[in-house]
């Protein structure tokens, strides 16, 4: 097994995830099988209970694991499927060690951070790295490990020690470290001191980076590269420049142009691996398709404007997979994406017109002039009346609409109120004792806790008889059953289905028991679709999610 550790210094959020994913993609282009592990040093057992504005979106895997958003990047770039065990947190690994101690696995020994916790980290990585993650169902050749946070953080200490031990155990030619640093620009000068300091910190911690990836807002000058190589005591070809580019999909091309594949071959002795000719051929085809699709972005002239009406618009990473799915679909449709962020609270007339009239009118102008309107998932009452108003505008004015999870539920509430004459229609989530709860809590949900208590993971949805007219069903290739990932606590109240259907709201997809509404669609509309699942979790650069593709195509007027 070959390991690539991607660590970071100077600041967090420096782009380690994109560099790790891009490195993995380049390895796949030469026919290697690649897996990924993300280490997060926070105490949470998983990302499920964190607010989107705290750490970005929660990404959901096939097995229902609620994990860090970087695992979404790995899956999208590498076209793999990971499990909850591919995300290690401080809370998760401490829980694992404490459970072993309670069982008596340590035979009365004093359980310590070193060696017991560090050994547990190392054992976890070695075990998970060998789990097949792609359609070959074979053991991966390379595992990329991304260490969250920055080297020097107190909470990272045990993980760094575990990586030091793993490097020694793996042996020469089987372990490579890429350390990502920041080269700030002050005035006209590219500053190298932060990089020099972070490399010093890494070496003090016991690691020795093989490659230094230097993030900068502009291309590195040769004098800057020379200085970093000289004062960090590395060769020039060990310094990789990763400047800002117009699209994150260009990063793999940027790394390839600097000869990263050649350096990985040499350091990890990749030529000694037996690579399947079919995988090599497939890798070349994927790389050609990737470059053709992503590099064409800069030459696109026509655009499509999408209004994303959400609750967490202050932090765009809260909807990262939604944004990526829109980008995938836009590239496939040959359109440049113009994404308009609309805070749903500003669409609520009674409050906003009094408190912030300028924001109210600006938000409504953006919604009314958009080519398409998307309402993503979320939790809580705030902003929901604004989302309902946006769904009403889309329905009445024949504007393409896509509702995801909460977005679908709010579209149902809007339809119940304004078409089915149920004026007090609402959700148990917003009003516990509402007279007409068209959205209710699922009976099997445990309300005593929050972590891992939702309906999670990959689940089947069956298209119903008589739904052959559906635009969405046609995009799925006339399949009778589809598999999509879920994350929700509430569902459409079965007692109101007949009344909604009488009004014209057709539920064309249900769960495998025929009890839970999964997909709604309006017949007499260019595109009005709501889905209970989260199709963005399975969207890929070369294979866009079908609900997003249909939505963007309708918004762009592409048949």
């Amino acid at each position: 097994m070959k390991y690539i550790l991607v660590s970071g210094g100077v600041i967090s959020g420096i782009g380690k995830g994109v560099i790790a994913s891009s490195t993995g993609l380049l390895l796949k282009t030469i026919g290697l099988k690649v897996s990924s592990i993300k280490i997060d040093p926070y105490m949470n057992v998983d990302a499920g209970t964190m607010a989107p504005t705290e750490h970005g979106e929660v990404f959901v895997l096939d097995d229902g694991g609620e994990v860090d958003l970087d695992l979404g990047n790995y899956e999208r770039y590498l076209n793999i499927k990971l499990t909850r065990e591919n995300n290690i947190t401080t809370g998760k690994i401490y829980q694992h060690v404490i459970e072993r101690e309670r069982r008596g696995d340590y035979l009365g020994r004093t359980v310590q951070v070193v060696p017991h916790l560090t050994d547990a980290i190392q054992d976890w990585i070695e075990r998970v790295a060998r789990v097949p993650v792609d359609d070959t169902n074979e053991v991966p050749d390379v595992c990329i490990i991304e260490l969250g946070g920055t080297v020097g953080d107190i909470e990272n200490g045990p993980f760094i020690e575990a990586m030091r031990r793993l490097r020694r155990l793996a042996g020469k030619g089987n372990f490579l470290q890429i350390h990502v640093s920041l080269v700030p620009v002050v005035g006209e000068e590219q500053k190298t001191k932060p990089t020099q300091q972070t490399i010093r910190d890494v070496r003090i911690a016991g690691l020795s980076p093989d490659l230094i990836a230097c993030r900068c807002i502009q291309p590195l000058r040769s004098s800057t590269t020379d200085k970093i190589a000289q004062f960090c005591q590395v060769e020039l070809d060990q310094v990789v420049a990763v400047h800002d580019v117009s699209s994150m999909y260009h990063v793999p091309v940027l790394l390839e142009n600097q000869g990263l594949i050649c350096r990985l071959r040499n350091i990890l002795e990749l030529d000694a691996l037996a690579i399947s000719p079919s995988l090599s051929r497939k890798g070349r085809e994927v790389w050609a398709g990737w470059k053709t699709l992503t590099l064409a972005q800069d030459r696109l002239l026509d655009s499509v404007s999408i209004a994303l009406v959400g609750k967490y618009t202050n932090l765009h990473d809260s909807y990262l997979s939604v944004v990526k799915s829109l980008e995938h679909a836009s590239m496939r449709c040959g359109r440049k994406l113009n994404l308009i962020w609309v805070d749903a609270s500003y669409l609520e007339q009674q409050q906003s017109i009094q408190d912030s009239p300028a924001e109210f009118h600006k938000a409504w102008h953006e919604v009314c002039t958009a080519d398409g309107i998307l309402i993503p998932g979320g939790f809580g009452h705030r902003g929901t009346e604004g989302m309902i108003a946006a769904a009403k505008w889309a329905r009445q004015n024949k504007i393409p609409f896509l509702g995801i999870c909460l977005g679908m539920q709010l579209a149902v509430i809007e339809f119940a109120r304004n078409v089915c004459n149920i004026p007090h229609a609402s959700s148990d989530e917003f009003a516990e004792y509402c007279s007409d709860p068209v959205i209710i809590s699922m009976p099997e949900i445990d309300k005593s806790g929050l972590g891992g208590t939702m309906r999670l993971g990959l689940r089947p949805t069956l298209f119903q008889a008589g739904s052959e007219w559906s635009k969405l069903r046609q995009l799925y290739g006339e399949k009778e059953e589809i598999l999509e990932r879920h994350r929700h606590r509430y569902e459409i109240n079965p007692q109101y289905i007949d009344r909604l259907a009488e009004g014209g709201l057709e539920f064309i997809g249900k769960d495998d028991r025929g009890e839970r509404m999964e997909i709604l669609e309006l017949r007499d509309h260019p595109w009005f679709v709501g889905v209970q699942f989260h199709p963005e979790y399975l969207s890929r650069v070369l294979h866009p999610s079908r609900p997003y593709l249909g939505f963007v195509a309708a918004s762009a007027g592409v048949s």
Side-chain angles (χ1 to χ4, degrees), residues 94-320:
Y94 267 93
Q95 183 183 60
H96 172 71
V97 171
I98 290 170
E99 286 174 353
R100 290 191 62 194
E101 185 274 331
R102 292 289 84 187
R103 289 197 306 266
D105 291 357
Y106 295 109
L107 302 177
R109 296 187 184 91
T110 301
V111 180
Q112 298 175 290
V113 172
V114 180
H116 302 101
L117 187 70
T118 53
D119 283 352
I121 296 168
Q122 184 177 309
D123 293 344
W124 189 301
I125 289 172
E126 289 183 282
R127 173 175 53 84
V128 174
R130 300 185 62 82
V131 175
V133 293
D134 59 22
D135 53 9
T136 67
N137 203 33
E138 296 177 357
V139 175
D141 301 303
V142 182
C143 179
I144 297 178
I145 307 161
E146 181 190 346
L147 177 60
T150 57
V151 172
D153 294 344
I154 293 174
E155 58 264 35
N156 261 344
F159 295 110
I160 292 172
E161 172 62 18
M163 293 302 98
R164 184 189 70 79
R165 291 174 171 228
L166 180 61
R167 178 170 196 144
R168 183 171 181 273
L169 180 70
K172 187 177 184 299
N174 293 318
F175 192 101
L176 178 147
Q177 182 183 1
I178 302 173
H179 190 69
V180 186
S181 181
L182 177 69
V183 177
V185 178
V186 180
E188 296 296 322
E189 185 180 359
Q190 297 177 346
K191 295 290 188 178
T192 65
K193 276 293 192 292
T195 298
Q196 296 177 41
Q197 182 60 49
T198 189
I199 294 301
R200 189 178 302 121
D201 291 343
V202 174
R203 287 173 175 159
I204 289 173
L207 292 170
S208 181
D210 301 280
L211 299 173
I212 304 173
C214 298
R215 291 282 292 110
C216 189
I217 61 173
Q218 58 188 217
L220 289 190
R221 304 186 188 102
S222 58
S223 58
T224 303
T225 306
D226 290 343
K227 193 172 183 181
I228 291 171
Q230 179 182 352
F231 288 100
C232 293
Q233 294 182 318
V234 296
E235 300 298 325
L236 274 174
D237 65 359
Q238 292 178 265
V239 180
V240 182
V242 190
H243 59 263
D244 289 357
V245 288
S246 58
S247 166
M248 64 180 288
Y249 304 113
H250 295 174
V251 175
V253 180
L254 177 66
L255 296 177
E256 186 209 29
N257 291 340
Q258 295 182 66
L260 181 62
I261 294 178
C262 182
R263 297 174 208 180
L264 297 177
R265 281 185 188 276
N266 293 335
I267 298 173
L268 290 175
E269 302 173 1
L270 298 179
D271 290 334
L273 296 176
I275 300 176
S276 162
S278 62
L279 289 180
S280 295
R281 183 173 60 257
K282 183 179 178 181
R284 291 192 297 270
E285 292 171 354
V286 167
W287 187 228
W290 180 285
K291 290 193 291 185
T292 299
L293 187 64
T294 60
L295 295 180
Q297 276 185 296
D298 295 334
R299 300 191 295 271
L300 296 177
L301 299 177
D302 296 328
S303 64
V304 57
S305 61
I306 303 296
L308 191 156
V309 182
K311 299 163 63 75
Y312 319 115
T313 54
N314 288 336
L315 179 64
H316 294 179
D317 275 359
S318 300
Y319 301 112
L320 184 63

Side-chain angles (χ1 to χ4, degrees), residues 388-541:
I388 290 171
K392 180 180 179 181
W393 171 267
R395 180 181 58 79
Q396 291 183 331
N397 293 276
K398 306 294 185 182
I399 305 299
F401 171 86
L402 179 61
I404 306 294
C405 196
L406 175 66
M408 171 186 171
Q409 296 171 6
L410 295 176
V412 170
I413 293 174
E414 186 280 320
F415 197 89
R417 289 179 182 177
N418 299 303
V419 178
C420 299
N421 196 27
I422 311 176
H424 300 294
S426 188
S427 168
D428 277 351
E429 184 179 7
F430 316 142
E432 187 175 354
Y433 301 107
C434 68
S435 57
D436 284 300
V438 296
I439 308 298
I440 58 172
S441 175
M442 291 183 290
E444 70 270 28
I445 295 300
D446 179 9
K447 296 183 179 180
S448 63
L450 293 179
T453 58
M454 287 186 271
R455 182 172 180 250
L456 295 163
L458 195 72
R459 296 172 183 269
T461 294
L462 277 64
F463 284 109
Q464 300 301 292
S467 65
E468 290 77 14
W469 59 269
S470 162
K471 301 180 184 71
L472 179 59
R473 180 171 181 173
Q474 291 166 15
L475 279 175
Y476 275 108
E478 294 293 341
K479 292 180 179 179
E480 294 184 359
E481 178 180 309
I482 58 174
L483 295 171
E484 294 281 1
R485 295 176 180 175
H486 293 67
R487 185 178 188 249
H488 65 111
R489 287 193 178 90
Y490 296 87
E491 65 173 334
I492 297 165
N493 191 339
Q495 296 180 8
Y496 288 85
I497 299 302
D498 291 342
R499 291 181 66 180
L500 293 166
E502 289 172 4
L505 191 63
E506 301 194 46
F507 294 97
I508 64 165
K510 299 181 182 181
D511 71 347
D512 53 351
R513 298 174 64 180
E515 300 173 350
R516 190 155 284 147
M517 303 304 111
E518 292 281 0
I519 306 172
L520 67 82
E521 186 171 349
L522 293 180
R523 282 184 189 247
D524 58 342
H525 198 285
W527 182 274
F528 195 99
V529 171
V531 294
Q532 186 59 72
F533 46 81
H534 288 264
E536 62 269 20
Y537 293 144
L538 290 178
S539 187
R540 303 290 183 262
V541 178

Side-chain angles (χ1 to χ4, degrees), residues 74-89:
Y74 305 154
E75 287 202 343
R76 284 187 287 269
Y77 273 64
L78 307 181
N79 195 26
I80 56 178
K81 291 192 175 182
L82 304 174
T83 72
R84 66 182 75 225
E85 296 211 321
N86 290 83
N87 192 192
I88 307 173
T89 71

